[in-house]
Amino acid sequence: MILAIDSSSLVASVAIANDDVIIAEYTVNLKKTHSQTLLPMIDEIFRMTGLDKKEIKAIAVSNGPGSFTGLRIGAATVKGLAFALDIPVIPVSTIQMMANNYNHCNKLICPIMDARRNQVYTGIYSCEEDELNEILAPAPMAIEDLLQKIEEIGKDVIFVGDGIPAFKNQIEENLKVKHFYSRQNFARQSAGSLAALGTELLKMGKAISSDEFVPDYMRLSQAERERLNK
């Protein structure tokens, strides 16, 4: 049984999974600080299920990319819980987590998260015979460069993520290959998706100690960039 926690974007999401079954999921997509929402959500999901935290064997967490503040809050929450319960942490790529929602898909799968400054956090995947294959590793990238890369591959693509509203006009104007957009139930991060991929990674021995876990921000924060420029 694992606990999954995602705070990589505006979405705050918590889930509990037991092997291949999502027992419970609690997701909120409102402009509230994760420091206000995550711990009450965790307490509530255990209260509603009647489970004891001591039954949890590992914690899956989205380790980035995403909001710097959100990732830090999620990391602090997970490290504290994992240390207190003496259980390992399963770091999960936010981008891979969203792509993993699609199986037996005959299109490219392209998560896009709004990284500001006309950039996205993204990756490109295909899924054949229920196995997710990485074509472009998760990375920050200018939206123009991503669209050019998709054109070079020349295959139909489905976009998923909070970058769709921000970049849909540019996609429509510049992308010639046939493209589609995720339905709303798959359009954002969810702890249920995180738990599903986290369970697979746990079985593969990808868990680490709470001391070892650090988020993967993928680029410097604005404050760090400004300090370096000075």
Side-chain angles (χ1 to χ4, degrees), residues 65-167:
S67 157
F68 286 81
T69 302
L71 291 174
R72 281 194 288 267
I73 292 170
T77 303
V78 167
K79 286 169 78 73
L81 283 171
F83 178 79
L85 296 171
D86 192 24
I87 56 177
V89 174
I90 313 161
V92 180
S93 161
T94 316
I95 299 297
Q96 186 179 358
M97 170 186 68
M98 291 191 288
N100 197 59
N101 282 327
Y102 295 85
N103 61 337
H104 297 286
C105 182
N106 61 358
K107 302 174 180 61
L108 296 177
I109 307 160
C110 184
I112 51 174
M113 297 175 64
D114 187 2
R116 312 297 181 188
R117 304 165 69 92
N118 208 43
Q119 287 196 328
V120 290
Y121 295 119
T122 189
I124 301 176
Y125 300 83
S126 64
C127 188
E128 300 169 7
E129 297 183 1
D130 207 27
E131 183 175 344
L132 194 67
N133 302 306
E134 185 178 88
I135 297 173
L136 176 68
M141 181 179 296
I143 186 66
E144 296 91 343
D145 294 339
L146 173 63
L147 298 181
Q148 182 179 345
K149 179 69 176 176
I150 293 171
E151 287 284 4
E152 290 171 358
I153 298 172
K155 189 175 178 181
D156 294 358
V157 60
I158 183 165
F159 290 99
V160 54
D162 62 19
I164 294 173
F167 296 103

Side-chain angles (χ1 to χ4, degrees), residues 197-209:
L197 183 54
T199 299
E200 294 179 24
L201 294 174
L202 181 62
K203 292 175 181 177
M204 294 166 60
K206 300 291 186 180
I208 59 175
S209 71

Side-chain angles (χ1 to χ4, degrees), residues 29-61:
N29 187 12
L30 291 171
K31 293 183 179 180
K32 287 189 175 182
T33 306
H34 294 314
S35 58
Q36 296 175 302
T37 57
L38 275 183
L39 287 174
M41 290 170 68
I42 293 168
D43 285 341
E44 179 67 10
I45 205 168
F46 277 101
R47 187 186 70 80
M48 289 294 292
T49 58
L51 295 170
D52 190 317
K53 292 185 178 71
K54 294 180 181 178
E55 297 178 73
I56 299 297
K57 302 304 179 187
I59 305 177
V61 57

